[in-house]
Amino acid sequence: MAGRRPAPVAILLLLAAAFAPISSAVRPVSDAHRSAAVELFAPSADGSFGDLESTYEAVRTFQILGLENYKSLSGKACKFAAENLASPGSTTKDLFHAVRISGALGCAVDAGVYDGVVARLKAVIQDTNSLLELYYPVGGLLGIKEQGHNVVLSDAEGTFHATKALSQSDGRWRYDTDSAESSTFAAGIALEALAGIVSLADAAVDPSMMGVVKNDVVKLFDTIKSYNDGTFYFDEKHVDATEYKGPIITSASVVRGVTSFAAVVSGKLNIPAEKILGLAKFFLGIGLPGSAKDCFNQIESLSFLENNRVFVPLILSLSSKVFSLTSKDQLKVEVTSVFGSAAPSLKVNLVQVLGSDSKVITSENKELQYDLDNNVHYLDIAPLKIDVGKYSIVFEISLQEPEQETVYATGGRNTESVIVTGLIKVDKAEIGISDNDAGAVESVQKLDLLKDTKVSLSANHLQKLCLSFQLTTPLGHTFKPHQVFLKLRHESKVEHLFVVPGSARQFKIVLPIL
């Protein structure tokens, strides 16, 4: 037919299946944290970390993470601490950090030097109504005692009462007797100071006062804040701008204080297990911190939570949050401490799968198998009959030994967001020529777009090219990605890209030959 000629065109079908992003995974402390710590705490050219506080934070962070970096700098750090311990001009805060550096590194400190420091710190405690002027001396004295020196705080009960006088009815503390506002951060350091006073006392502190403080801790946890994913954190209610601390520093102060006080008081603190677990999720959810200060508070807080007398949090994490039906991937779950230590004997059950619209896909209870060698609970995803898409999977952790329930916090049910992928099949693909958009299609030919199929069509410049097809998932359901593109490549190598309209039932595009 005159005017008709073959139009050599290569067809390439592109699918763009866009899913909503998955929330960041909560994973135990890993080598990524260690690498971040080394980078954040890089010493200056002279080998120092700055002031005493920064030096201690670097040393302590490296020590907790099991890094050897701090040992090579111990000589300079010990010398720095010794100079401040011997200096009559050192503040109580300087002495506090210098003692902690010496304790962490095992620095050799002359007993006479420590005798002088003890006398100075005790003198400050006897003549102050400031929380910080109690906190630093008490912490310094406790640090010296922990290094093997005989340190006893006379009138420990009086000091305990003086500290308690700074408390408020909501479980928060004031910085001094003249402060009108209470502070959550101050509550943490007050509890840590009280724990130190008890440890330094030569006789038991009034049990009734200890009971009052235990009740204060309960009130303090009534002010904790939370996110919808079970994460809990502390923040300041309202204090002067110069005293405000952010959620990381504030939460770290409370964790440090509560776990320290729990270690010296008889019985357990009446804190819900899910709130302790939520605090662990908060610190792990930070991921890799952006500052040395945040890194120290994250790692030290997690070290206190790793082994404490309230509840030890157990973290459920997925080895991967993306699974392939085509590759027949397994769902692999780990339950560990915040530093990745093995959990006690327990079971993990998958109890529910929810779609992206929160519709229940399955509520069949399936126990995951346990791989002892790799400490992983696993389950094949194929029997779940879930197709490609985004899902929320609900797991339930149950401890095998009932008495462990007073020791560990599992959170009971844990929800994780996952994405299931798979090879999408192009079905019922047809190509042909028509005279107009709605007209009958001529010379219809079937295409197998999964293969290198070649067809030959002939058309004039007034006619149109028609292409239609259907997309199906590995389970045979129709599939509609966010967008489908059709790329036409002419024999001259010129390419054109088109968006293909359609529904889940059929995609169809009609293009003028020109």
Side-chain angles (χ1 to χ4, degrees):
M1 180 175 178
R4 290 181 181 262
R5 64 181 180 84
V9 177
I11 297 177
L12 178 62
L13 189 66
L14 306 175
L15 310 181
F19 294 99
I22 291 184
S23 58
S24 59
V26 175
R27 299 281 298 169
V29 173
S30 66
D31 286 339
H33 292 86
R34 295 178 177 88
S35 298
V38 171
E39 183 176 339
L40 291 170
F41 286 103
S44 60
D46 63 356
S48 69
F49 293 101
D51 59 15
L52 286 163
E53 183 174 3
S54 299
T55 301
Y56 172 73
E57 290 174 354
V59 167
R60 181 62 180 145
T61 303
F62 290 158
Q63 188 181 56
I64 293 170
L65 292 175
L67 297 169
E68 298 295 316
N69 304 55
Y70 72 94
K71 290 185 177 180
S72 62
L73 303 169
S74 60
K76 290 185 178 181
C78 284
K79 181 181 178 182
F80 189 26
E83 290 171 349
N84 280 271
L85 289 171
S87 172
S90 297
T91 64
T92 54
K93 183 178 179 180
D94 291 338
L95 296 174
F96 168 72
H97 289 302
V99 168
R100 296 205 298 176
I101 292 170
S102 299
L105 294 174
C107 304
V109 179
D110 186 84
V113 172
Y114 267 158
D115 288 341
V117 173
V118 169
R120 291 175 60 186
L121 296 179
K122 286 184 175 181
V124 173
I125 292 174
Q126 292 172 359
D127 188 29
T128 184
N129 62 357
S130 165
L131 178 58
L132 289 175
E133 290 183 1
L134 281 168
Y135 172 74
Y136 291 127
V138 168
L141 292 173
L142 182 61
I144 294 173
K145 180 179 180 179
E146 290 173 344
Q147 293 176 50
H149 295 264
N150 183 25
V151 181
V152 176
L153 185 62
S154 60
D155 192 24
E157 193 157 296
T159 307
F160 193 98
H161 279 269
T163 308
K164 181 66 181 72
L166 298 171
S167 65
Q168 299 284 75
S169 60
D170 60 357
R172 295 180 175 92
W173 262 257
R174 297 170 295 159
Y175 283 100
D176 55 58
T177 53
D178 296 328
S179 297
E181 294 291 344
S182 58
S183 163
T184 306
F185 175 84
I189 63 175
L191 290 170
E192 189 180 355
L194 292 174
I197 293 168
V198 173
S199 298
L200 292 167
D202 58 356
V205 174
D206 183 358
S208 64
M209 286 300 298
M210 297 288 282
V212 171
V213 175
K214 288 174 72 173
N215 191 48
D216 287 341
V217 173
V218 174
K219 292 178 182 178
L220 178 62
F221 269 80
D222 288 339
T223 68
I224 199 169
K225 299 181 179 181
S226 66
Y227 296 114
N228 293 333
D229 61 357
T231 298
F232 285 86
Y233 67 99
F234 285 95
D235 202 0
E236 295 286 18
K237 181 179 179 181
H238 174 73
V239 291
D240 184 84
T242 59
E243 296 176 349
Y244 176 76
K245 307 292 191 298
I248 295 177
I249 294 178
T250 303
S251 299
S253 175
V254 174
V255 167
R256 192 181 299 115
V258 168
T259 54
S260 297
F261 187 74
V264 299
V265 70
S266 61
K268 285 183 70 72
L269 298 179
N270 189 22
I271 302 172
E274 64 268 18
K275 292 185 178 180
I276 298 297
L277 178 61
L279 282 167
K281 289 182 176 180
F282 169 73
F283 284 109
L284 289 173
I286 295 170
L288 303 180
S291 72
K293 178 70 71 174
D294 285 347
C295 182
F296 164 72
N297 281 298
Q298 177 197 42
I299 298 303
E300 190 190 48
S301 296
L302 290 171
S303 73
F304 281 114
L305 293 171
E306 173 85 356
N307 183 20
N308 72 90
R309 290 189 60 239
V310 186
F311 286 102
V312 176
L314 295 178
I315 303 299
L316 181 146
S317 56
L318 301 183
S319 301
S320 172
K321 301 193 100 178
V322 180
F323 305 94
S324 169
L325 291 172
T326 305
S327 301
K328 298 181 180 179
D329 290 344
Q330 287 184 326
L331 184 66
K332 294 182 179 180
V333 173
E334 297 174 82
V335 181
T336 66
S337 71
V338 294
F339 278 90
S341 299
S345 180
L346 52 78
K347 292 194 304 182
V348 178
N349 283 50
L350 186 153
V351 295
Q352 198 173 56
V353 178
L354 305 175
S356 57
D357 57 357
S358 298
K359 180 181 178 181
V360 176
I361 305 301
T362 177
S363 56
E364 183 181 353
N365 197 316
K366 292 182 178 292
E367 182 179 348
L368 278 65
Q369 300 298 307
Y370 182 57
D371 179 353
L372 179 62
D373 293 335
N374 297 301
N375 192 31
V376 170
H377 301 260
Y378 64 92
L379 181 71
D380 292 333
I381 62 173
L384 298 177
K385 301 298 181 184
I386 54 177
D387 216 334
V388 293
K390 184 179 180 182
Y391 299 91
S392 293
I393 300 182
V394 183
F395 299 96
E396 187 170 67
I397 302 173
S398 56
L399 294 161
Q400 300 279 41
E401 303 294 335
E403 60 270 18
Q404 299 280 32
E405 294 177 2
T406 63
V407 178
Y408 294 95
T410 65
R413 292 196 170 191
N414 294 257
T415 302
E416 296 285 340
S417 296
V418 302
I419 283 179
V420 178
T421 66
L423 183 64
I424 301 300
K425 185 179 180 182
V426 185
D427 275 338
K428 301 178 181 178
E430 295 181 338
I431 191 168
I433 303 297
S434 72
D435 291 329
N436 54 61
D437 290 348
V441 180
E442 304 174 1
S443 306
V444 176
Q445 297 194 46
K446 296 185 181 298
L447 288 173
D448 187 345
L449 293 176
L450 295 181
K451 298 179 180 179
D452 187 16
T453 305
K454 293 183 178 180
V455 297
S456 179
L457 297 170
S458 181
N460 63 39
H461 67 285
L462 298 176
Q463 292 179 305
K464 299 179 183 294
L465 178 72
C466 300
L467 174 69
S468 63
F469 54 88
Q470 187 181 77
L471 303 176
T472 56
T473 67
L475 295 188
H477 300 134
T478 55
F479 178 73
K480 187 178 187 301
H482 284 185
Q483 286 184 303
V484 176
F485 298 97
L486 172 68
K487 181 189 286 186
L488 297 183
R489 183 183 297 116
H490 192 265
E491 62 182 0
S492 65
K493 308 302 182 183
V494 175
E495 295 181 348
H496 293 278
L497 197 65
F498 304 92
V499 176
V500 183
S503 64
R505 306 188 79 176
Q506 187 186 51
F507 289 87
K508 183 176 181 180
I509 189 169
V510 179
L511 297 170
I513 290 296
L514 291 180

